[in-house]
Amino acid sequence: MRIAFLTAPEGVEQVELTEPWKAASGAGHETVLVSTKSGEIQAFNHLDKADTFPVDEVVGDTSADSLDALVLPGGVANPDFLRMDDKAVAFVRDFFAQGRPVAAICHAPWTLVEADVVRDRVLTSWPSLRTDIRNAGGTWVDEQVQICDHGPNKLVTSRKPDDLEAFCGVFLDVFAEKAA
């Protein structure tokens, strides 16, 4: 599978990018770093700058048509930036419209809220997003990992970096179902 990892030019929580990336590439999938600008993204370890990573494709120059699944890493600033970018929001919305699986962790569901794809869905996130998710018509649960198939696609969500091992295992299983 070709799996997109969508991030803003800065603000992604590094471990929420690198651990799912390693899991996907380790399972034999092609991982594609997509951002709103070309060049490199700046990752963070909470509030401190961490490593940079090269962008493979730019939102607006690529589409969900050329990818099989989407992973949305968190970090507070990352989804806040993405939800303000119309092309990024449309890119996310297209995965749902096409029935392609999506996985999001921590603060990443903010982008899902902006894309208006959480209505009637059950998901988890960093606890501070629960009101945003409820206001957008979703049901928030406090679970390590949540799989929701009450929509056009399967949505896998998780709360925080401590849940990464479970998150990676579950999204890889869900993505494998789509590939089969």
Side-chain angles (χ1 to χ4, degrees):
M1 295 182 82
R2 289 189 82 225
I3 301 174
F5 285 75
L6 177 62
T7 72
E10 66 177 16
V12 69
E13 185 70 30
Q14 181 160 313
V15 70
E16 293 176 5
L17 170 64
T18 58
E19 290 305 305
W21 184 280
K22 285 183 215 171
S25 60
H29 301 293
E30 179 185 351
T31 49
V32 182
L33 185 59
V34 180
S35 190
T36 58
K37 295 182 181 178
S38 61
E40 293 183 331
I41 63 153
Q42 174 67 62
F44 281 74
N45 292 325
H46 191 54
L47 298 175
D48 299 322
K49 283 187 177 182
D51 297 324
T52 59
F53 299 90
V55 172
D56 297 312
E57 297 183 16
V58 176
V59 167
D61 295 338
T62 191
S63 71
D65 295 335
S66 67
L67 298 148
D68 301 302
L70 174 64
V71 175
L72 296 169
V76 177
N78 180 52
D80 194 50
F81 180 89
L82 290 174
R83 67 186 177 157
M84 298 302 294
D85 186 290
D86 292 340
K87 290 180 183 177
V89 172
F91 181 74
V92 170
R93 193 179 299 120
D94 284 349
F95 279 87
F96 285 80
Q98 294 180 26
R100 299 178 195 276
V102 174
I105 187 168
C106 202
H107 288 81
W110 263 340
T111 309
L112 302 178
V113 167
E114 190 65 32
D116 194 24
V117 294
V118 302
R119 187 171 319 285
D120 300 323
R121 304 299 296 259
V122 179
L123 59 157
T124 192
S125 67
W126 186 255
S128 66
L129 276 67
R130 69 178 160 246
T131 301
D132 297 319
I133 290 167
R134 288 178 183 147
N135 288 343
T139 300
W140 186 84
V141 295
D142 186 11
E143 299 290 337
Q144 187 177 40
V145 180
Q146 177 67 39
I147 303 170
C148 181
D149 58 6
H150 304 295
N153 66 336
K154 285 202 175 178
L155 173 61
V156 177
T157 52
S158 197
R159 301 174 300 194
K160 57 189 174 184
D162 289 346
D163 300 335
L164 274 165
E165 184 176 345
F167 175 68
C168 291
V170 170
F171 89 71
L172 285 175
D173 288 344
V174 168
F175 289 9
E177 290 173 15
K178 181 67 176 176

